[in-house]
């Protein structure tokens, strides 16, 4: 459950001067961004802009070259129970011997600690999460037999079962059918109305104003962040997508070469 | 010998059998997780890295006492794993290359050390070569006691951390994000592999230890879509291979146990791959065949229906039906006979008609086909004369919910034809072969 001392701060996640490097090559430079509580936030940017990396840095999955991340004013380690994660669908083997229910139940593991068994409360929560994404009829289905959209909904349900306050999602709308897109959007809006914060990497620029309250525009460095109406402008899109950042890229490459 | 084997009356043979069975069980369970975690090759590197450990332990202690030898194996196995992880993490060498590198280097070192050992005076009784290919027949009660304890501990550990291993193998990043100590869990899993490999060394040998950790698990995957059941089946397959393999080896003492156990496991795997009900190759081939038959049958029904439609007659000539598609006369004949047997078509000499049931099915097929065509023309902007073939491939497999969705879409646009069967968007040719079918 959410710790009682959940600060009613207005900032869900505070990223300060974040730099991330893979094999010494920086992929994110000096990112400063603050995300308000209770909003749907999109991260947009071209391929290789570091969108997934930013999510993983927020989750503490990749080492930071510099900077810090605070979630509800705490360190990532202290705030783990407050954060839910939806990875990219392609990141796992869908032929794994498990059914949809089994995947969603994983969302409850963190609260079980090391040794307690999965019991009735956990199963009920998993089932409720499946129901919320419209997948309760598929609970016993092996995950490889689900369509892409259904698999994405199972991932979303697993995050719901985590019962977190902040959700980080890597392209939840990628490659899903229209019905799933509507279902996911409904769930996201319900989550926001319940005071949750959702940050999602998003590829479809056309739907950004319609789906998201805030937007983080990224291309190896932060281009702009803020309410969609103010920030999602032609000029900022031009800055994010138009022309590669030749100087930054060359600098990154130089840093990498210097290390070998 | 065979009789003594089957009646379990030979004490030594029983010991060997029991040891192999326990080993097979433990390796099957641990192997389930290593296979799913994609760590099978790492286990192989570990087993090869153990050989120099065995030799060095022998050179130091000068005895064939199993304890020190296994301790040496364990130490070097762990070193091997650490070397692989270190190389792939700190350099640009990819993991598979790092594994091959460590595996071959340590094995080379081991074989070199072995030749030194064999030159030493008391080497005659050492029998260290047994560690390479396995010598289950030399198992004694104390060895089996050790195997039993290790197998028990390994299986219990897998039971305790079942949930953690499951999420680790399925989605490591999610597990990490949820606060699970994934590095520790990976280390624990590798540790279990280590222990299993090391106790398996005397029986199956290091070259084949990885077989015990891999083949039963892969075979088990064919039979079940549930992790827990897969682990149990893997344990059973491992135990069976151990029992049958060491049994055969006991009857033919010249056959090392390791290779025979491995071959038995491989046979079980091949049988599983072929015969498993859902994932087996035979079942898959059968399903494909059934689908092909269904599609051909639907095609013939649609062809007759369309000729009936064009000629406004119930009884239509077979030769006109033949023109609807690139059927050879023999194909058409066998299809028609099949349809007649199923009671969907009636035939009088060279004319055919649809039975009431055949007509019902044909209507449904034609309807789906034309709905899809209209959808392609109106929504996907595909030219009218191209849609027939596209509709053709997909109409047979569309699930009911997508058909309903198609209807809803077309109804929204006011394009859903009011009649039961929508008109074809292209002219249905009755006599000439329709150009779109080519």
């Amino acid at each position: 459950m959410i710790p009682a001392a959940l600060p009613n701060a207005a900032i869900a996640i505070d990223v300060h001067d974040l730099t991330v490097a893979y094999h010494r090559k920086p992929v994110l430079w000096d990112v400063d961004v603050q995300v308000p509580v209770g909003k749907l936030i999109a991260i947009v940017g071209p391929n290789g802009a570091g969108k997934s990396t930013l999510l993983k840095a927020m989750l503490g999955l990749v080492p930071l070259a510099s900077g810090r991340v605070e979630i509800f004013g705490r360190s990532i380690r202290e705030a783990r129970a407050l954060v839910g994660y939806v990875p990219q669908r392609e990141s796992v083997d869908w032929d794994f011997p498990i059914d949809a229910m089994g995947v969603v139940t994983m969302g409850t593991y963190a609260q079980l600690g090391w040794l307690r068994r999965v019991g009735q409360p956990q199963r009920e929560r998993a089932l409720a999460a499946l129901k919320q994404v419209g997948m309760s009829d598929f609970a016993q289905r092996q995950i490889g037999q689900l369509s892409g959209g259904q698999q994405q909904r199972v991932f979303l349900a697993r995050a719901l079962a985590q019962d977190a306050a902040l959700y980080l999602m890597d392209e939840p709308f990628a490659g899903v059918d229209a019905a799933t897109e509507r279902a996911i959007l409904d769930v996201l809006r319900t989550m926001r109305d319940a005071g949750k914060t959702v940050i999602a990497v998003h590829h479809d620029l056309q739907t950004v104003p319609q789906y998201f309250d805030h937007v983080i525009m990224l291309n190896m460095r932060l281009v702009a962040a803020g309410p969609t109406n103010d920030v999602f402008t032609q000029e900022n899109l031009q800055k994010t997508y138009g022309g590669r950042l030749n100087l930054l890229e060359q600098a990154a490459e130089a840093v990498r070469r210097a290390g070998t | 010998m065979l009789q003594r084997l089957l009646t379990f009356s030979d004490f030594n043979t029983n010991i060997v059998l029991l040891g192999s069975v326990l080993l097979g069980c433990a390796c099957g369970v641990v192997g389930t997780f290593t296979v799913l975690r994609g760590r099978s090759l790492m286990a192989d590197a570990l087993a090869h890295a153990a050989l120099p450990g065995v030799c060095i332990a022998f050179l130091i202690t000068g005895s064939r006492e199993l304890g020190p030898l296994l301790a040496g194996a364990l130490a070097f196995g762990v070193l091997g794993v650490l070397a692989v992880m270190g190389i792939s993490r700190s350099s640009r060498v990819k993991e598979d290359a790092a594994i091959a590198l460590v595996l071959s280097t340590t094995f080379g070192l081991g074989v070199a050390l072995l030749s030194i050992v064999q030159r030493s005076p008391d080497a005659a009784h050492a029998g260290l070569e047994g560690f390479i290919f396995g010598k289950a027949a030399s198992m004694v009660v104390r060895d089996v006691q050790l195997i039993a304890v290790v197998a028990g501990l390994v299986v219990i550990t897998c039971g305790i951390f079942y949930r953690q291993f499951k999420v680790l193998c399925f989605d490591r990043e999610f597990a990490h994000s949820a606060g699970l100590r994934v590095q520790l869990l990976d280390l624990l899993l590798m540790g279990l592999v280590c222990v299993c490999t090391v106790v398996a060394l005397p029986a199956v040998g290091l070259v084949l230890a990885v077989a015990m950790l891999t083949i039963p698990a892969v075979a088990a995957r064919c039979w079940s879509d549930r992790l827990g059941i897969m682990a149990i089946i893997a344990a059973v397959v491992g135990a069976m291979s151990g029992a049958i393999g060491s049994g055969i080896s006991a009857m033919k003492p010249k056959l090392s146990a390791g290779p025979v156990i491995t071959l038995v496991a491989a046979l079980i795997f091949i049988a599983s791959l072929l015969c498993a009900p859902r994932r087996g190759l035979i079942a898959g081939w059968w399903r494909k065949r059934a689908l092909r038959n269904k599609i051909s049958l639907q095609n013939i029904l649609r062809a007759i229906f369309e000729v009936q439609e064009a000629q406004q007659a119930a009884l239509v000539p077979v030769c006109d039906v033949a023109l609807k598609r690139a059927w050879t006369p023999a194909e058409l004949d066998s299809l028609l006979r099949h349809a007649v047997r199923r009671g969907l078509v009636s035939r009088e000499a060279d004319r055919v008609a649809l039975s009431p049931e055949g007509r019902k099915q044909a209507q449904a097929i034609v309807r789906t086909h034309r709905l899809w065509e209209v959808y392609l023309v109106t929504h996907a902007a595909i030219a009218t004369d191209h849609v027939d073939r596209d509709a053709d491939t997909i109409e047979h497999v569309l699930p009911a919910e997508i058909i309903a969705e198609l209807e809803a879409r077309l109804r929204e646009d006011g394009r859903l034809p009011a009649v039961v069967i929508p008109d074809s968007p292209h002219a249905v040719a009755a006599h000439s072969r329709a150009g779109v079918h080519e």
Side-chain angles (χ1 to χ4, degrees):
Chain A
M1 292 293 110
I2 296 171
L6 180 61
N8 39 11
I11 302 301
I13 188 163
D14 184 357
V15 174
H16 184 72
D17 193 19
L18 179 87
T19 297
V20 180
Y22 284 136
H23 283 288
R24 295 186 56 93
K25 180 178 175 176
V27 287
L28 275 180
W29 295 80
D30 304 325
V31 173
D32 270 302
V33 67
Q34 291 189 328
V35 170
V37 167
K39 302 280 186 223
L40 300 183
I41 299 109
I43 301 178
V44 300
N47 287 332
K51 304 183 294 291
S52 295
T53 304
L54 179 59
L55 273 199
K56 286 178 184 174
M58 287 172 165
L59 287 157
L61 298 183
V62 293
L64 310 185
S66 76
R68 65 184 151 77
V69 175
E70 275 181 10
I71 297 169
F72 297 110
R74 310 166 194 201
S75 72
I76 298 172
R77 190 182 279 269
E78 291 167 335
R80 285 229 189 272
L82 301 172
V83 185
Y85 178 39
V86 179
Q88 272 184 32
R89 183 158 55 86
E90 290 80 25
S91 66
V92 302
D93 170 17
W94 288 93
D95 192 41
F96 199 84
I98 193 170
D99 58 16
M101 184 70 178
V103 173
V104 177
T105 312
M106 287 178 182
T108 66
Y109 284 3
Q111 291 162 17
L112 277 175
W114 275 89
L115 294 178
R116 264 180 31 229
R117 310 260 91 185
V118 171
Q120 199 55 35
Q122 284 76 34
R123 273 194 286 276
E124 273 166 17
R125 222 164 76 204
L127 206 58
L130 270 173
K131 201 173 224 159
Q132 205 179 335
V133 300
M135 287 288 294
S136 44
D137 290 346
F138 299 89
Q140 312 300 325
R141 192 75 68 90
Q142 198 269 328
I143 52 172
Q145 296 169 27
L146 300 172
S147 73
Q150 290 169 334
Q151 292 172 346
Q152 191 67 58
R153 283 196 247 179
V154 168
F155 259 15
L156 183 60
R158 180 176 66 176
L160 289 173
Q162 287 186 284
D163 198 15
L166 167 69
Y167 287 90
L168 302 177
M169 306 187 179
D170 207 340
E171 303 205 22
F173 293 107
V176 301
D177 53 285
T180 297
E181 180 144 348
R182 278 195 301 274
I184 293 178
L185 187 63
D186 282 346
V187 171
L188 295 193
R189 289 183 171 154
T190 311
M191 290 164 80
R192 176 186 56 192
D193 295 344
K196 316 266 185 192
T197 310
V198 179
I199 304 177
V201 174
H202 195 61
H203 252 144
D204 184 8
L205 291 179
Q206 289 194 337
T207 52
V208 167
Q210 189 191 339
Y211 290 3
F212 293 97
D213 313 314
H214 279 235
V215 63
I216 295 171
M217 303 176 82
L218 203 67
N219 192 349
M220 293 182 74
R221 89 279 186 220
L222 184 72
V223 175
T228 312
N229 287 338
D230 306 342
V231 172
F232 199 64
T233 61
Q234 199 57 47
E235 194 194 341
N236 280 337
L237 279 170
Q238 192 70 42
K239 275 195 221 162
T240 313
Y241 287 86
R244 301 290 287 167
L245 284 167
N246 280 325
L247 197 61
L248 261 191
E249 249 179 20
Q250 285 170 17
E253 191 55 28
V255 172
R256 186 183 66 78
R257 275 201 305 269
T260 50
Chain B
M1 182 73 219
L2 181 64
Q3 198 194 348
R4 284 207 316 209
L5 191 69
L6 292 178
T7 53
F8 299 103
S9 56
D10 184 280
F11 180 72
N12 281 334
T13 314
N14 287 350
I15 284 296
V16 172
L17 275 182
L18 183 64
S20 310
V21 165
L22 289 172
L23 215 53
C25 271
C27 288
V29 173
V30 174
T32 299
F33 295 107
T34 40
V35 163
L36 291 173
R37 177 80 184 90
R39 279 281 176 275
S40 305
L41 270 180
M42 190 77 116
D44 202 17
L46 192 156
H48 282 78
L51 185 60
V54 171
C55 295
I56 289 173
F58 178 78
L59 285 174
I60 293 173
T61 63
S63 81
R64 203 208 157 277
E65 195 63 27
L66 200 56
L69 295 188
L70 292 189
L74 191 63
F76 270 74
V78 172
L79 275 180
V81 171
L82 291 179
V84 170
M85 290 187 345
I87 290 172
S88 58
R89 198 170 291 174
S90 64
S91 74
R92 271 147 199 288
V93 178
K94 301 229 165 39
E95 194 181 71
D96 68 321
I99 287 175
L101 192 123
V102 169
L103 186 151
S104 49
T105 310
T106 50
F107 188 55
L109 178 66
V111 173
L113 284 173
L114 203 58
S115 61
I116 296 175
V117 168
Q118 263 150 353
R119 255 181 267 135
S120 73
D122 47 2
H125 315 289
L128 289 192
E129 320 85 67
F131 279 80
I132 298 183
F133 293 117
K135 211 169 186 183
S138 66
M139 253 190 245
V140 294
V141 177
R142 277 189 56 194
D143 299 347
V144 176
Q145 281 170 343
L146 178 71
I147 291 174
V149 170
V150 168
L153 283 178
V154 161
V155 172
I156 289 171
T157 311
C158 286
I160 291 174
F161 294 107
Y162 175 71
R163 183 158 61 74
Q164 282 83 357
F165 282 153
K166 178 158 74 175
V167 62
L168 175 79
C169 295
F170 175 60
D171 193 346
R172 189 178 191 271
E173 284 203 329
F174 175 82
H176 190 179
S177 81
L180 228 60
R181 309 283 297 275
V182 285
Q183 260 149 0
L184 219 61
L185 280 172
D186 259 337
L187 226 63
L188 177 64
L189 186 56
M190 247 17 253
L192 291 179
V193 170
C194 245
V195 180
C196 279
T197 311
V198 165
V199 295
L201 278 184
V204 291
L206 65 91
V207 177
L208 301 166
V210 68
M212 289 298 276
L213 280 164
T214 311
I215 303 176
V218 178
R221 181 66 188 95
C222 298
W223 296 97
S224 178
D225 276 337
R226 308 186 73 92
L227 180 58
I229 295 174
M230 177 182 163
I232 292 169
I233 296 176
V236 172
V237 172
M240 273 166 58
S241 329
I244 300 172
S246 58
I248 293 176
S249 157
M251 284 188 298
K252 299 250 182 243
K254 275 191 184 159
L255 279 177
S256 301
V260 183
I261 291 175
T262 304
L263 287 177
V264 172
L267 281 179
I268 297 177
F269 164 69
I270 291 170
S272 307
L273 187 66
L274 288 175
C275 306
R278 210 178 59 74
R279 300 172 67 90
L281 294 179
I282 293 175
W285 174 79
W286 192 255
R287 271 197 305 274
K288 260 191 214 131
R289 214 187 88 116
L291 179 67
R292 243 195 348 258
N293 287 344
K294 182 182 133 192
I295 289 178
S296 325
L297 193 66
Q298 291 187 342
N299 282 337
I300 190 87
L301 292 180
R302 178 156 74 88
I304 298 174
F305 184 92
E306 288 184 350
V307 176
Q308 285 181 333
E309 199 179 34
Q311 301 187 349
Q312 295 292 315
L315 208 56
V316 294
V318 173
C319 56
D320 288 342
V321 174
L323 290 175
K324 297 293 288 181
R325 227 161 230 281
W327 282 305
T328 65
E331 272 171 1
L332 182 66
D333 201 51
S334 103
L335 267 175
L336 280 174
R337 261 185 290 134
H338 183 54
V340 170
R341 266 203 311 278
R342 300 274 291 265
L344 301 171
V345 168
S346 58
R347 183 169 186 178
E348 291 169 21
D350 55 356
R351 292 175 165 266
V352 287
L354 291 169
S355 74
E357 175 58 27
R359 188 163 174 82
K360 215 173 92 189
Q361 289 193 16
Q363 274 175 346
I365 298 156
V366 171
R367 180 177 163 77
T368 314
H369 180 83
R370 299 218 180 131
L371 274 174
W372 187 245
E373 281 183 339
V374 174
Y375 174 77
L376 288 181
V377 171
T378 57
H379 283 73
I382 293 174
T384 319
D385 62 342
H386 282 54
V387 293
D388 190 35
R389 173 113 60 95
D390 292 330
D392 213 45
T393 47
I394 208 156
E395 73 197 32
H396 307 285
V397 293
L398 280 183
E401 58 260 39
I402 293 189
I403 296 175
E405 169 92 20
L406 279 179
E407 286 178 358
R409 287 278 180 92
L410 295 172
R411 191 179 298 121
E412 248 172 48
D413 296 3
R415 283 179 188 273
L416 182 72
V419 289
V420 178
I421 300 168
D423 286 333
S424 175
H426 55 85
V428 176
H431 292 282
S432 65
R433 171 175 297 177
V436 289
H437 276 303
E438 275 149 33

